[in-house]
Short mmCIF file of all heavy atoms in Angstrom, two decimals:
data_model
loop_
_atom_site.label_atom_id
_atom_site.label_comp_id
_atom_site.label_asym_id
_atom_site.label_seq_id
_atom_site.Cartn_x
_atom_site.Cartn_y
_atom_site.Cartn_z
N ILE A 1 2.06 19.90 -6.28
CA ILE A 1 1.51 19.55 -4.97
C ILE A 1 2.53 19.76 -3.87
O ILE A 1 2.23 20.32 -2.81
CB ILE A 1 1.00 18.09 -4.98
CG1 ILE A 1 -0.21 17.95 -5.91
CG2 ILE A 1 0.65 17.62 -3.56
CD1 ILE A 1 -0.65 16.52 -6.14
N VAL A 2 3.77 19.34 -4.11
CA VAL A 2 4.79 19.51 -3.07
C VAL A 2 5.15 20.98 -2.88
O VAL A 2 5.47 21.41 -1.77
CB VAL A 2 6.04 18.66 -3.40
CG1 VAL A 2 6.90 19.29 -4.49
CG2 VAL A 2 6.88 18.44 -2.14
N MET A 3 5.05 21.78 -3.93
CA MET A 3 5.26 23.22 -3.78
C MET A 3 4.19 23.83 -2.89
O MET A 3 4.46 24.71 -2.06
CB MET A 3 5.29 23.89 -5.15
CG MET A 3 6.56 23.62 -5.93
SD MET A 3 6.43 24.14 -7.67
CE MET A 3 5.92 25.83 -7.50
N GLY A 4 2.95 23.38 -3.06
CA GLY A 4 1.88 23.84 -2.19
C GLY A 4 2.15 23.46 -0.74
O GLY A 4 1.87 24.23 0.18
N GLY A 5 2.71 22.28 -0.55
CA GLY A 5 3.09 21.85 0.79
C GLY A 5 4.21 22.70 1.37
O GLY A 5 4.20 23.01 2.57
N PHE A 6 5.16 23.07 0.54
CA PHE A 6 6.24 23.95 1.00
C PHE A 6 5.69 25.30 1.47
O PHE A 6 6.15 25.86 2.46
CB PHE A 6 7.25 24.17 -0.12
CG PHE A 6 8.26 23.07 -0.27
CD1 PHE A 6 8.22 21.94 0.53
CD2 PHE A 6 9.27 23.16 -1.21
CE1 PHE A 6 9.15 20.92 0.40
CE2 PHE A 6 10.23 22.17 -1.35
CZ PHE A 6 10.16 21.04 -0.55
N MET A 7 4.72 25.82 0.75
CA MET A 7 4.18 27.14 1.07
C MET A 7 3.23 27.12 2.25
O MET A 7 3.25 28.03 3.08
CB MET A 7 3.48 27.73 -0.17
CG MET A 7 4.43 28.19 -1.25
SD MET A 7 3.58 29.10 -2.57
CE MET A 7 2.82 27.78 -3.47
N PHE A 8 2.38 26.08 2.34
CA PHE A 8 1.30 26.11 3.32
C PHE A 8 1.31 24.95 4.30
O PHE A 8 0.41 24.86 5.14
CB PHE A 8 -0.04 26.16 2.60
CG PHE A 8 -0.21 27.38 1.75
CD1 PHE A 8 -0.17 27.30 0.36
CD2 PHE A 8 -0.39 28.63 2.33
CE1 PHE A 8 -0.32 28.43 -0.42
CE2 PHE A 8 -0.54 29.76 1.56
CZ PHE A 8 -0.50 29.68 0.18
N GLY A 9 2.27 24.05 4.20
CA GLY A 9 2.39 23.01 5.19
C GLY A 9 1.93 21.63 4.74
O GLY A 9 1.31 21.47 3.69
N PRO A 10 2.21 20.61 5.56
CA PRO A 10 1.90 19.22 5.21
C PRO A 10 0.43 18.93 5.00
O PRO A 10 0.07 18.17 4.11
CB PRO A 10 2.44 18.43 6.41
CG PRO A 10 3.43 19.33 7.06
CD PRO A 10 2.95 20.72 6.84
N LEU A 11 -0.43 19.54 5.82
CA LEU A 11 -1.86 19.28 5.66
C LEU A 11 -2.36 19.80 4.32
O LEU A 11 -3.20 19.16 3.66
CB LEU A 11 -2.64 19.93 6.81
CG LEU A 11 -4.15 19.66 6.82
CD1 LEU A 11 -4.43 18.16 6.85
CD2 LEU A 11 -4.81 20.35 8.01
N ALA A 12 -1.85 20.95 3.89
CA ALA A 12 -2.22 21.49 2.58
C ALA A 12 -1.78 20.53 1.48
O ALA A 12 -2.52 20.32 0.50
CB ALA A 12 -1.59 22.87 2.38
N ALA A 13 -0.59 19.95 1.61
CA ALA A 13 -0.10 18.99 0.62
C ALA A 13 -1.03 17.78 0.56
O ALA A 13 -1.35 17.28 -0.53
CB ALA A 13 1.32 18.55 0.97
N PHE A 14 -1.48 17.30 1.72
CA PHE A 14 -2.38 16.15 1.78
C PHE A 14 -3.70 16.46 1.09
O PHE A 14 -4.25 15.64 0.34
CB PHE A 14 -2.61 15.77 3.24
CG PHE A 14 -3.39 14.49 3.43
CD1 PHE A 14 -2.78 13.26 3.26
CD2 PHE A 14 -4.72 14.52 3.79
CE1 PHE A 14 -3.49 12.08 3.44
CE2 PHE A 14 -5.45 13.35 3.96
CZ PHE A 14 -4.82 12.13 3.79
N MET A 15 -4.22 17.66 1.35
CA MET A 15 -5.50 18.06 0.74
C MET A 15 -5.36 18.27 -0.77
O MET A 15 -6.23 17.85 -1.54
CB MET A 15 -6.00 19.34 1.40
CG MET A 15 -6.37 19.16 2.87
SD MET A 15 -6.75 20.73 3.69
CE MET A 15 -8.15 21.29 2.72
N LEU A 16 -4.27 18.90 -1.20
CA LEU A 16 -4.04 19.09 -2.63
C LEU A 16 -3.93 17.75 -3.35
O LEU A 16 -4.45 17.58 -4.46
CB LEU A 16 -2.77 19.91 -2.86
CG LEU A 16 -2.85 21.41 -2.59
CD1 LEU A 16 -1.46 22.04 -2.66
CD2 LEU A 16 -3.79 22.09 -3.59
N ALA A 17 -3.27 16.79 -2.70
CA ALA A 17 -3.14 15.45 -3.29
C ALA A 17 -4.52 14.82 -3.48
O ALA A 17 -4.80 14.20 -4.51
CB ALA A 17 -2.27 14.57 -2.41
N GLY A 18 -5.40 14.98 -2.49
CA GLY A 18 -6.74 14.41 -2.59
C GLY A 18 -7.59 15.07 -3.65
O GLY A 18 -8.29 14.40 -4.41
N ILE A 19 -7.53 16.40 -3.71
CA ILE A 19 -8.31 17.14 -4.71
C ILE A 19 -7.88 16.74 -6.12
O ILE A 19 -8.70 16.48 -7.00
CB ILE A 19 -8.16 18.65 -4.50
CG1 ILE A 19 -8.82 19.08 -3.18
CG2 ILE A 19 -8.76 19.43 -5.67
CD1 ILE A 19 -8.49 20.50 -2.78
N THR A 20 -6.56 16.70 -6.33
CA THR A 20 -6.05 16.36 -7.66
C THR A 20 -6.41 14.93 -8.04
O THR A 20 -6.76 14.65 -9.19
CB THR A 20 -4.52 16.54 -7.69
OG1 THR A 20 -4.18 17.84 -7.23
CG2 THR A 20 -3.98 16.35 -9.10
N ALA A 21 -6.33 14.01 -7.08
CA ALA A 21 -6.69 12.61 -7.35
C ALA A 21 -8.16 12.49 -7.72
O ALA A 21 -8.53 11.71 -8.62
CB ALA A 21 -6.38 11.76 -6.12
N LEU A 22 -9.02 13.27 -7.06
CA LEU A 22 -10.45 13.23 -7.37
C LEU A 22 -10.73 13.75 -8.77
O LEU A 22 -11.47 13.13 -9.55
CB LEU A 22 -11.23 14.06 -6.35
CG LEU A 22 -12.74 14.19 -6.58
CD1 LEU A 22 -13.41 12.81 -6.55
CD2 LEU A 22 -13.37 15.11 -5.55
N VAL A 23 -10.09 14.87 -9.12
CA VAL A 23 -10.28 15.44 -10.46
C VAL A 23 -9.75 14.47 -11.52
O VAL A 23 -10.38 14.28 -12.57
CB VAL A 23 -9.57 16.81 -10.57
CG1 VAL A 23 -9.61 17.32 -12.01
CG2 VAL A 23 -10.23 17.82 -9.64
N GLU A 24 -8.62 13.85 -11.24
CA GLU A 24 -8.05 12.90 -12.20
C GLU A 24 -8.99 11.72 -12.41
O GLU A 24 -9.15 11.22 -13.54
CB GLU A 24 -6.68 12.42 -11.71
CG GLU A 24 -5.97 11.52 -12.69
CD GLU A 24 -4.50 11.31 -12.34
OE1 GLU A 24 -4.06 11.82 -11.29
OE2 GLU A 24 -3.81 10.62 -13.12
N MET A 25 -9.64 11.26 -11.35
CA MET A 25 -10.56 10.12 -11.46
C MET A 25 -11.72 10.43 -12.41
O MET A 25 -12.13 9.56 -13.19
CB MET A 25 -11.10 9.75 -10.08
CG MET A 25 -12.05 8.54 -10.12
SD MET A 25 -12.82 8.17 -8.53
CE MET A 25 -14.00 9.53 -8.41
N VAL A 26 -12.25 11.65 -12.35
CA VAL A 26 -13.43 11.98 -13.15
C VAL A 26 -13.07 12.57 -14.52
O VAL A 26 -13.97 12.92 -15.29
CB VAL A 26 -14.35 12.96 -12.39
CG1 VAL A 26 -14.82 12.34 -11.09
CG2 VAL A 26 -13.64 14.29 -12.12
N THR A 27 -11.78 12.65 -14.82
CA THR A 27 -11.38 13.20 -16.12
C THR A 27 -10.56 12.21 -16.93
O THR A 27 -11.09 11.50 -17.77
CB THR A 27 -10.61 14.52 -15.94
OG1 THR A 27 -9.50 14.31 -15.04
CG2 THR A 27 -11.51 15.61 -15.38
N VAL A 28 -9.27 12.13 -16.66
CA VAL A 28 -8.37 11.37 -17.54
C VAL A 28 -8.15 9.92 -17.11
O VAL A 28 -7.69 9.11 -17.89
CB VAL A 28 -7.00 12.07 -17.66
CG1 VAL A 28 -7.16 13.44 -18.27
CG2 VAL A 28 -6.31 12.16 -16.30
N SER A 29 -8.46 9.60 -15.85
CA SER A 29 -8.17 8.26 -15.36
C SER A 29 -9.29 7.29 -15.69
O SER A 29 -10.48 7.64 -15.65
CB SER A 29 -7.94 8.28 -13.84
OG SER A 29 -7.74 6.96 -13.34
N GLY A 30 -8.90 6.07 -16.00
CA GLY A 30 -9.89 5.03 -16.28
C GLY A 30 -9.89 3.95 -15.22
O GLY A 30 -10.48 2.88 -15.41
N THR A 31 -9.25 4.21 -14.08
CA THR A 31 -9.12 3.19 -13.04
C THR A 31 -10.08 3.40 -11.88
O THR A 31 -10.03 2.66 -10.90
CB THR A 31 -7.67 3.18 -12.49
OG1 THR A 31 -7.30 4.50 -12.08
CG2 THR A 31 -6.70 2.70 -13.55
N GLY A 32 -10.95 4.40 -11.96
CA GLY A 32 -12.00 4.58 -10.97
C GLY A 32 -11.49 4.89 -9.57
O GLY A 32 -10.41 5.44 -9.38
N PRO A 33 -12.29 4.51 -8.55
CA PRO A 33 -11.92 4.81 -7.17
C PRO A 33 -10.58 4.21 -6.75
O PRO A 33 -9.86 4.81 -5.95
CB PRO A 33 -13.08 4.20 -6.36
CG PRO A 33 -14.23 4.18 -7.30
CD PRO A 33 -13.63 3.91 -8.65
N TRP A 34 -10.26 3.02 -7.27
CA TRP A 34 -8.97 2.43 -6.93
C TRP A 34 -7.82 3.30 -7.43
O TRP A 34 -6.83 3.50 -6.73
CB TRP A 34 -8.86 1.02 -7.50
CG TRP A 34 -9.67 0.00 -6.79
CD1 TRP A 34 -10.73 -0.69 -7.29
CD2 TRP A 34 -9.50 -0.44 -5.45
NE1 TRP A 34 -11.25 -1.53 -6.34
CE2 TRP A 34 -10.51 -1.41 -5.20
CE3 TRP A 34 -8.60 -0.12 -4.42
CZ2 TRP A 34 -10.63 -2.06 -3.96
CZ3 TRP A 34 -8.73 -0.76 -3.19
CH2 TRP A 34 -9.72 -1.71 -2.98
N GLY A 35 -7.97 3.80 -8.64
CA GLY A 35 -6.94 4.68 -9.18
C GLY A 35 -6.84 5.98 -8.39
O GLY A 35 -5.74 6.50 -8.14
N MET A 36 -7.99 6.51 -7.96
CA MET A 36 -7.98 7.71 -7.13
C MET A 36 -7.23 7.46 -5.83
O MET A 36 -6.41 8.27 -5.39
CB MET A 36 -9.41 8.16 -6.83
CG MET A 36 -9.48 9.35 -5.88
SD MET A 36 -11.14 9.70 -5.29
CE MET A 36 -10.77 10.84 -3.96
N LEU A 37 -7.52 6.32 -5.19
CA LEU A 37 -6.83 5.98 -3.95
C LEU A 37 -5.32 5.89 -4.16
O LEU A 37 -4.54 6.43 -3.37
CB LEU A 37 -7.37 4.65 -3.41
CG LEU A 37 -6.67 4.10 -2.16
CD1 LEU A 37 -6.88 5.04 -0.98
CD2 LEU A 37 -7.21 2.70 -1.83
N MET A 38 -4.92 5.23 -5.23
CA MET A 38 -3.49 5.08 -5.52
C MET A 38 -2.84 6.44 -5.76
O MET A 38 -1.73 6.71 -5.27
CB MET A 38 -3.30 4.18 -6.74
CG MET A 38 -3.70 2.74 -6.52
SD MET A 38 -2.48 1.80 -5.60
CE MET A 38 -1.26 1.54 -6.89
N ASN A 39 -3.52 7.29 -6.52
CA ASN A 39 -2.96 8.61 -6.81
C ASN A 39 -2.86 9.46 -5.55
O ASN A 39 -1.88 10.19 -5.36
CB ASN A 39 -3.83 9.32 -7.86
CG ASN A 39 -3.65 8.75 -9.25
OD1 ASN A 39 -2.55 8.37 -9.63
ND2 ASN A 39 -4.72 8.65 -10.01
N TRP A 40 -3.88 9.39 -4.71
CA TRP A 40 -3.86 10.16 -3.46
C TRP A 40 -2.72 9.69 -2.55
O TRP A 40 -1.94 10.49 -2.02
CB TRP A 40 -5.20 10.02 -2.75
CG TRP A 40 -5.41 11.04 -1.64
CD1 TRP A 40 -4.46 11.84 -1.07
CD2 TRP A 40 -6.64 11.36 -0.99
NE1 TRP A 40 -5.02 12.65 -0.10
CE2 TRP A 40 -6.36 12.37 -0.04
CE3 TRP A 40 -7.95 10.89 -1.13
CZ2 TRP A 40 -7.35 12.91 0.79
CZ3 TRP A 40 -8.93 11.44 -0.31
CH2 TRP A 40 -8.62 12.43 0.63
N VAL A 41 -2.61 8.38 -2.39
CA VAL A 41 -1.57 7.82 -1.53
C VAL A 41 -0.18 8.18 -2.05
O VAL A 41 0.70 8.60 -1.29
CB VAL A 41 -1.72 6.29 -1.40
CG1 VAL A 41 -0.49 5.68 -0.74
CG2 VAL A 41 -2.97 5.95 -0.60
#
């Protein structure tokens, strides 16, 4: 995620963090929306 931010800027890093957190919530995470929020933050 931070490499994506290095290449395309801070907003890209923020978006990549959100996308990854969403995918993690619906796949490997068992903490639901709270876990997604924590991962995104």
Side-chain angles (χ1 to χ4, degrees):
I1 293 172
V2 77
M3 287 168 54
F6 278 3
M7 287 189 284
F8 298 108
L11 184 56
F14 187 78
M15 294 172 61
L16 285 172
I19 293 169
T20 308
L22 177 61
V23 173
E24 185 167 3
M25 181 185 73
V26 299
T27 54
V28 298
S29 176
T31 53
W34 286 114
M36 175 190 168
L37 176 64
M38 293 282 283
N39 286 323
W40 194 346
V41 169

